[in-house]
C-alpha cells in the first residue's frame, strides 16, 4: 500500500477526513471482492464477510454504537467492532444490503468507515496520526504560553501587580485557550456531541463537560471577577489537561499501531500492480486483481509475489517469514512453488500464476487475521458493559460533589466537579483487556502463529491437559527407513539400483522414503514401470524378469512372510523375495523438547491416535508421554475429550487431519498444524504456520503472561479510580492533576500491554532442536 511521502509538509488545514471516491464504487463486484470473502455452503443468498476500518472511535461505547447502527440494516447478520484495532467485521447477505449502505450507516452514527484493504484506509490512518500530532503541538504551545502568564499571578505579593497588568495576563490566557478548546479539544467535543445526539453517554461526555465548564467558568471570572464564578481562573489547568489527554491519546495511537503492525504488514503485503508478460513478448502493468491462472509475471527484488504459483525462470532468495514463521530466506529455483505475499529478496524472476485472489494461501491467512482482529473476547465485552453504567455514576458523583461544596466553599464547587468528571473517565478500564490481547496476537503472528479467536488465549492459558494427534502432528508427514534385510546372493548396491528405478515412478510416502535413501544410487534400466494403486510398482529388466516393489501380498504372494512391525515394503523378482524394508514415522525435530516443556509447566500430555497401539507406544516412549489412547476413530477421539471435560479438565487439542476436525471444534482450545487439512485449520483457534511444536509451548506461555497483564491492567484501573475519586471529591486533586492522572492511567495500561509484543523470541533465536528421536535402525 502506498503511503504519504515522508517529506510531505505537515499542515493543520485538513482537519476533516481525506477525500475519497463515491462510496458506491465499493458496490462494484470487482472492488467489493477486494475486502469481502464469501462464505461457502450457505443456503439462499450468498453471505459475505467484509472488513472496514473505522475512524473517529476512541472507546468501547463507540464500538457498541457502530454495531447497533450496522445491525439495524436489513440483510446484516452480524457486526463486530473491535475498539482496539478500530476494525469492523460485518456478515451480510448479497442482494439485501450493499457495502455503501453499511458505510452510510456508520457515517450516520457519527463515524467513518473505509474498506479495510483499500488505499483510502491506509491514507486515513496516516491522516489521523498527522492531525493528532498537530492538535498535540497546538495544545503544548498554548499551554506553555498560558503557564508563562499564570506564574506571575501565583507568586506576586499584594501590591506587586496592578489590576490592569493582572487583567492583561488573564485576557492573554483566555485568547490562548481558545484554539486549545476549539481545535485541540475537538475530538472530545465532537465525540460528546455525537453521543448526546444519539441519546447515550460515552467516555467523551465527562471529559467534554470538564473542558467546557472550565472554559466557561474561567471566562466568566476573567470578564466579571465579581460575578458568580469569582475571580479565580483555570486556563492553565484547562490547557494542561487537554495537552495531557492528547499526549496519552497520541502515544496510545502509536502503541496501537505498533501492536497491530504484524497484522497490517500481513494484510497489506500484496502489490497494487504487477508486470505481466504477454504471449507476444510484450509486457504490461496490470492490477493484481486482473491476474488469472496461467499468466506469467515478472517479480523484481523487493516486490511481493502477487499470487500462488511456480517459479519459471531464475532463482531467488524468498522471505516467507510472515506466512510460514520461517525467519531465514529460502532459496527458490525453477520449478519450486511460490506463495503470494512472500518477498523476492535477490534477483528478478518470472513466475507462473496458478492460484489468485481468495484461492491463495495468503488470502486464507488474511481471512483468519481479519476474523481475529475484529473479535471481541468476553472479558472485553464485560468491560464495555461496566463502562456504560459507570459513566452515569461519574456524572452523579460530579453533581453531588458540586452540591456539597456549594454549601462549604461555593467558589471551589465548579472545580471539584470538573476534577471528578475528568479523573473518573474509565478509559483505562475499557483498554485493559483488548490492548493486551491484541499485543499478544501481534507477537504470535510474527512467530508464525495465527490467532483466530482472541478469547482462545484465555482458554489456552488455563488448559491443563494437552491432547496430541500422532501422524502429521508429533511426527513428520514422511516415513524414515529403519530396517533393511537383503536376501543372498543379492547385494545392497543391486537392491538400491532396482529400488531407485521403481520408486521414482510413484508419489506414495513409502516410495518417497526409498527415493531419499537411494538418491546416490544409479537407477537400473527398467522398462514398462507402472503403479498399481494400493499395491505397489512393477517393471521389466533387460532379461524380461518382473520386478515388484510393494505390499507382501503383491510383491511376494508365495513367500513365507515373517511378521514385521511398522510400515513394510517388499522387493521381489518373479515372485522371489530380494529385500524387505521397514519404515517408521519421523518425529518432528522439536517434539521431545516441546512435550518436556509442557510437562515442566505443570500440564498433562495425552497421545490420542487412530494408529495401532504398538506404533503409538513407540512414539509415546520416545517422547516421554505416559498416557496413550490408540485405535481411536473420530468419534472415539471426541468421546475421550468429552470425558476429560466432564471430569473438570480444560482440554487443548493439537491436530492436523480431517479426522481431527470434530475434536478440534469440541476442545476448550485447539491448535492446528499449518500444513494440515483445511478443515482442521478452519476448526482450530490457533494455526501453527511453521509446523513447529515448540510454538505450542511458546503460545501457551505467552497466553499465561497475557492473562497476568490483563489482571495487572484491571487491578491498576480499579486502584486508580478507588484512590483518585475520593481525592477529587475532597478537593485535593485540581483539574490539571486529574487530567494528568487519567491520561497516565490509560497510557500505562497500553504500555503494559505493549510489553507482550516483545515477550516472544523469534523462532530463529531459539536453541537448535534436538536430533531426530525415531528408533534406531535395527
Amino acid at each position: 500500500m502506498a503511503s504519504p511521502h515522508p517529506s510531505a509538509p505537515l499542515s493543520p488545514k485538513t482537519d476533516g477526513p481525506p477525500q475519497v471516491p463515491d462510496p458506491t464504487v465499493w458496490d462494484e463486484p470487482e472492488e467489493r471482492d477486494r475486502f469481502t470473502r464469501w462464505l461457502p455452503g450457505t443456503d439462499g443468498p450468498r453471505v459475505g464477510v467484509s472488513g472496514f476500518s473505522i475512524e473517529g472511535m476512541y472507546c468501547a461505547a463507540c464500538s457498541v454504537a457502530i454495531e447497533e447502527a450496522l445491525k439495524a440494516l436489513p440483510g446484516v447478520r452480524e457486526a463486530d467492532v473491535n475498539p482496539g484495532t478500530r476494525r469492523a467485521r460485518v456478515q451480510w447477505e448479497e442482494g439485501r444490503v450493499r457495502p455503501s449502505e453499511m458505510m452510510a450507516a456508520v457515517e450516520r452514527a457519527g463515524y467513518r468507515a473505509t474498506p479495510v484493504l483499500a488505499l483510502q484506509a491506509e491514507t486515513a490512518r496516516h491522516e489521523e496520526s498527522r492531525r493528532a500530532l498537530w492538535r498535540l503541538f497546538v495544545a503544548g504551545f498554548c499551554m506553555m504560553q498560558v503557564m508563562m502568564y499564570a506564574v506571575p499571578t501565583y507568586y506576586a505579593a499584594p501590591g506587586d501587580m496592578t489590576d490592569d497588568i493582572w487583567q492583561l495576563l488573564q485576557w492573554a490566557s483566555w485568547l490562548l485557550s481558545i484554539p486549545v478548546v476549539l481545535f485541540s479539544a475537538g475530538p472530545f467535543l465532537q465525540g460528546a456531541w455525537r453521543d448526546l445526539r444519539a441519546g447515550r453517554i460515552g467516555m467523551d461526555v465527562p471529559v467534554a463537560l470538564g473542558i467546557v465548564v472550565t472554559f466557561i467558568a474561567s471566562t466568566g471570572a476573567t470578564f466579571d471577577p465579581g460575578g458568580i464564578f469569582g475571580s479565580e481562573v483555570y486556563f492553565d489547568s484547562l490547557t494542561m489537561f487537554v495537552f495531557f489527554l492528547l499526549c496519552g491519546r497520541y502515544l496510545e495511537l502509536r502503541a496501537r499501531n505498533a501492536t497491530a503492525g504484524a497484522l497490517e504488514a500481513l494484510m497489506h503485503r500484496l502489490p497494487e500492480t504487477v508486470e505481466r508478460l504477454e504471449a507476444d513478448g510484450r509486457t504490461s502493468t496490470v492490477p493484481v486483481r486482473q491476474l488469472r491462472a496461467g499468466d506469467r509475471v515478472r517479480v523484481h527484488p523487493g516486490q511481493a509475489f502477487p499470487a500462488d504459483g511456480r517459479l519459471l525462470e531464475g532463482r531467488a532468495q524468498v522471505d516467507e517469514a510472515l506466512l510460514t514463521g520461517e525467519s531465514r530466506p529460502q532459496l527458490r529455483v525453477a520449478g519450486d512453488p511460490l506463495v503470494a505475499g512472500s518477498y523476492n529478496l535477490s534477483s528478478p524472476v518470472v513466475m507462473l500464476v496458478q492460484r489468485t485472489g481468495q484461492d491463495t494461501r495468503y488470502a486464507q491467512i488474511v481471512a483468519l487475521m481479519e476474523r481475529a482482529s475484529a473479535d471481541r473476547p468476553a472479558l472485553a465485552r464485560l468491560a464495555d458493559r461496566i463502562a456504560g453504567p459507570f459513566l452515569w455514576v461519574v456524572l452523579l458523583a460530579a453533581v453531588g460533589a458540586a452540591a456539597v461544596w456549594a454549601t462549604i466553599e461555593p467558589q471551589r464547587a465548579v472545580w471539584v466537579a470538573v476534577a471528578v468528571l475528568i479523573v473518573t473517565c474509565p478509559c483505562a478500564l475499557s483498554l485493559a483487556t483488548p490492548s493486551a490481547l491484541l499485543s499478544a496476537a501481534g507477537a504470535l503472528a510474527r512467530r508464525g502463529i495465527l490467532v483466530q479467536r482472541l478469547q482462545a488465549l484465555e482458554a489456552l492459558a488455563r488448559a491443563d491437559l494437552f491432547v496430541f494427534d500422532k501422524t502429521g502432528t508429533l511426527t513428520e508427514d514422511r516415513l524414515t527407513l529403519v530396517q533393511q534385510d537383503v536376501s543372498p546372493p543379492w547385494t545392497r548396491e543391486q537392491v538400491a539400483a532396482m529400488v531407485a528405478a521403481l520408486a521414482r515412478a510413484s508419489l506414495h510416502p513409502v516410495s518417497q522414503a526409498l527415493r531419499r535413501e537411494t538418491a546416490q544410487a544409479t537407477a537400473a534400466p527398467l522398462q514398462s514401470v507402472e503403479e498399481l494403486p494400493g499395491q505397489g510398482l512393477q517393471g521389466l529388466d533387460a532379461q524380461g524378469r518382473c520386478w515388484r516393489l510393494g505390499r507382501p501380498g503383491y510383491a511376494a504372494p508365495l513367500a513365507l512372510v515373517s511378521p514385521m512391525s511398522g510400515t513394510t515394503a517388499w522387493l521381489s523378482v518373479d515372485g522371489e523375495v530380494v529385500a524387505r524394508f521397514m519404515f517408521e514415522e519421523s518425529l518432528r525435530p522439536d517434539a521431545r523438547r516441546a512435550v518436556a516443556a509442557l510437562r515442566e509447566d505443570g500440564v498433562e500430555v495425552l497421545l490420542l491416535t487412530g494408529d495401532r497401539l504398538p506404533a503409538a507406544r513407540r512414539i509415546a516412549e520416545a517422547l516421554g508421554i505416559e498416557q496413550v489412547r490408540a485405535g481411536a476413530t473420530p468419534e472415539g477421539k471426541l468421546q475421550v475429550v468429552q470425558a476429560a471435560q466432564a471430569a473438570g479438565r480444560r482440554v487443548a487439542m493439537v491436530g492436523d487431519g480431517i479426522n481431527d476436525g470434530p475434536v478440534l471444534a469440541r476442545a476448550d482450545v485447539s491448535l492446528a498444524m499449518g500444513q494440515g487439512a483445511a478443515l482442521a485449520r478452519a476448526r482450530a483457534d490457533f494455526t501453527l504456520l511453521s509446523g513447529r511444536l515448540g510454538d505450542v509451548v511458546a503460545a501457551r506461555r505467552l497466553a499465561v503472561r497475557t492473562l497476568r497483564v490483563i489482571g495487572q491492567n484491571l487491578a491498576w484501573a480499579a486502584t486508580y479510580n478507588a484512590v483518585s475519586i475520593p481525592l477529587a471529591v475532597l478537593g485535593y486533586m485540581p483539574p490539571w492533576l486529574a487530567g494528568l492522572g487519567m491520561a497516565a492511567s490509560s497510557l500505562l495500561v497500553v504500555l503494559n500491554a505493549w510489553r507482550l509484543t516483545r515477550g516472544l523470541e523469534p523462532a530463529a533465536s531459539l536453541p537448535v532442536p534436538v536430533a531426530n528421536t525415531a528408533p534406531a535402525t535395527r
Side-chain angles (χ1 to χ4, degrees), residues 678-722:
L679 176 63
R681 297 196 305 270
R683 296 290 181 89
D685 300 315
F686 297 84
T687 301
L688 311 180
L689 294 178
S690 66
R692 293 185 293 262
L693 287 173
D695 286 348
V696 175
V697 182
R700 183 189 176 277
R701 289 178 175 175
L702 187 63
V704 172
R705 288 188 58 218
T706 301
L707 283 194
R708 189 160 57 244
V709 167
I710 290 175
Q712 293 168 356
N713 286 349
L714 292 175
W716 163 252
T719 303
Y720 161 75
N721 282 286

Side-chain angles (χ1 to χ4, degrees), residues 567-583:
T567 301
T568 60
W570 295 65
L571 176 68
S572 69
V573 55
D574 289 337
E576 178 186 347
V577 174
V578 175
R580 58 183 181 178
F581 313 91
M582 190 184 83
F583 304 87

Side-chain angles (χ1 to χ4, degrees), residues 367-552:
L368 298 180
M369 300 292 275
E370 287 182 335
R371 172 181 166 185
S373 65
D375 182 43
R376 279 204 299 157
L379 282 174
R381 293 182 182 275
L382 176 61
D384 296 350
R385 289 195 296 270
I386 294 173
F390 183 74
L391 289 170
W392 284 105
V393 175
V394 168
L395 295 178
L396 293 176
V399 172
V404 172
W405 275 95
T407 63
I408 301 173
E409 192 175 345
Q411 291 185 342
R412 297 188 62 185
V414 172
W415 311 119
V416 170
V418 169
V420 172
L421 286 172
I422 293 169
V423 81
T424 53
C425 183
C427 295
L429 178 64
S430 66
L431 290 171
T433 299
S435 59
L437 293 175
L438 288 169
S439 294
L444 291 173
R446 284 189 290 275
R447 175 70 177 262
I449 307 170
L450 297 188
V451 184
Q452 297 192 46
R453 291 189 309 115
L454 290 180
Q455 59 262 46
L457 284 164
E458 179 185 2
L460 181 61
R462 301 187 188 283
D464 55 9
L465 174 62
F466 275 71
V467 179
F468 285 89
D469 176 47
K470 180 176 72 70
T471 307
T473 301
L474 291 173
T475 64
E476 301 276 8
D477 54 356
R478 64 180 186 177
L479 298 173
T480 299
L481 179 65
V482 296
Q483 181 175 336
Q484 175 179 340
D485 296 327
V486 179
S487 300
W490 301 99
T491 65
R492 288 183 176 270
E493 289 73 17
Q494 291 174 312
V495 169
M498 291 300 173
V499 168
L502 291 168
R504 66 184 179 183
S506 172
L507 296 177
H508 190 277
V510 169
S511 298
Q512 292 179 348
L514 289 172
R515 284 175 62 185
R516 290 190 295 271
E517 291 293 329
T518 59
Q520 304 301 322
T522 301
L526 293 183
Q527 303 174 352
S528 304
V529 177
E530 59 180 358
E531 180 178 14
L532 182 64
Q535 298 298 322
L537 299 130
Q538 71 175 22
L540 302 177
D541 61 14
Q543 289 79 35
R545 294 178 298 181
C546 179
W547 288 84
R548 286 186 174 183
L549 174 66
R551 294 178 178 274

Side-chain angles (χ1 to χ4, degrees), residues 139-380:
F141 178 81
C142 293
M143 177 196 69
M144 289 188 294
Q145 298 300 312
V146 171
M147 290 299 296
M148 183 176 65
Y149 297 140
V151 167
T153 65
Y154 290 150
Y155 293 101
D160 289 348
M161 186 182 300
T162 61
D163 290 343
D164 56 341
I165 296 298
W166 183 89
Q167 195 69 24
L168 181 62
L169 293 178
Q170 305 292 55
W171 288 348
S173 298
W174 175 75
L175 284 173
L176 286 168
S177 299
I178 291 176
V180 174
V181 173
L182 298 183
F183 175 67
S184 296
F188 309 111
L189 302 180
Q190 293 165 8
W193 176 244
R194 179 178 58 229
D195 291 338
L196 293 174
R197 279 195 311 167
R200 61 176 180 266
I201 301 294
M203 294 185 190
D204 284 331
V205 171
V207 173
L209 281 175
I211 293 172
V212 171
V213 170
T214 303
F215 182 74
I216 291 175
S218 296
T219 300
T222 298
F223 292 97
D224 185 14
I228 60 173
F229 296 110
S231 59
E232 293 291 333
V233 297
Y234 286 88
F235 292 120
D236 53 342
S237 296
L238 170 65
T239 53
M240 192 180 300
F241 166 53
V242 174
F243 176 74
F244 286 149
L245 281 182
L246 291 176
C247 277
R249 184 163 288 188
Y250 181 73
L251 293 175
E252 177 190 322
L253 177 65
R254 292 289 301 271
R256 183 189 298 116
N257 290 341
T259 296
L263 313 183
E264 293 286 344
L266 179 60
M267 293 160 64
H268 293 170
R269 251 172 117 81
L270 293 189
E272 286 290 308
T273 60
V274 68
E275 183 181 348
R276 184 170 64 187
L277 306 182
E278 307 295 350
D280 57 5
R282 295 183 297 108
T283 63
S284 60
T285 301
V286 299
V288 168
R289 60 182 180 276
Q290 291 184 9
L291 289 180
R292 298 293 181 267
D295 287 346
R296 294 180 304 134
V297 298
R298 179 177 286 113
V299 181
H300 295 275
Q303 290 183 339
F305 291 98
D308 287 354
R310 181 166 51 86
L311 187 60
L312 286 180
E313 302 174 11
R315 52 191 291 154
Q317 295 286 338
V318 179
D319 176 11
E320 300 178 350
L322 282 180
L323 300 177
T324 66
E326 178 56 63
S327 59
R328 291 171 295 185
Q330 304 296 303
L331 177 64
R332 296 288 182 256
V333 299
D336 285 349
L338 298 170
V339 182
S342 57
Y343 275 106
N344 178 10
L345 299 180
S346 55
S347 58
V349 296
V350 176
M351 71 172 293
L352 174 68
V353 175
Q354 295 177 324
R355 290 178 299 278
T356 64
Q358 296 186 7
D359 296 331
T360 63
R361 185 182 179 192
Y362 167 83
Q364 296 168 4
I365 293 175
V366 166
L368 298 180
M369 300 292 275
E370 287 182 335
R371 172 181 166 185
S373 65
D375 182 43
R376 279 204 299 157
L379 282 174

